[in-house]
Amino acid sequence: MDAKEVVLNVLEDLTGEDLSDQMDENIFENGLLDSLATVQMLLNLQEETGIQVPVSEFNREEWDTPNKIVAKVESLENE
């Protein structure tokens, strides 16, 4: 599975919505994720992809749309 597929699956599990047609929508401003769901998202992404995202280094502005999440996952996979 590629990063986009993984991200969309994780987000759908957490929000109950298919966000594939909302790749540039702000998931926090739209109320789709709160603080607890964000931590769960990071844990799920770590489990699915093997990336490490310390919560202390999490910058919400870098993770606020599905497209940004995909880009972050891809960059962390390539580290």
Side-chain angles (χ1 to χ4, degrees):
M1 234 187 293
D2 68 358
K4 182 178 179 179
E5 245 182 297
V6 170
V7 167
L8 287 173
N9 286 340
V10 167
L11 289 173
E12 185 170 358
D13 287 346
L14 291 171
T15 66
E17 292 188 34
D18 175 7
L19 300 177
S20 59
D21 61 346
Q22 301 175 52
M23 294 300 289
D24 292 312
E25 295 295 317
N26 188 309
I27 57 177
F28 300 110
E29 287 178 3
N30 291 346
L32 295 173
L33 289 185
D34 59 15
S35 300
L36 186 58
T38 300
V39 172
Q40 189 61 51
M41 175 189 71
L42 294 176
L43 292 172
N44 291 357
L45 289 173
Q46 286 177 187
E47 185 178 302
E48 295 287 328
T49 65
I51 63 169
Q52 294 298 312
V53 184
V55 176
S56 59
E57 294 178 19
F58 178 81
N59 179 346
R60 192 164 143 165
E61 290 176 1
E62 295 175 0
W63 295 79
D64 61 4
T65 71
N67 270 331
K68 288 182 183 179
I69 297 168
V70 171
K72 286 297 282 185
V73 168
E74 289 175 340
S75 73
L76 291 167
E77 285 179 325
N78 293 324
E79 283 187 356

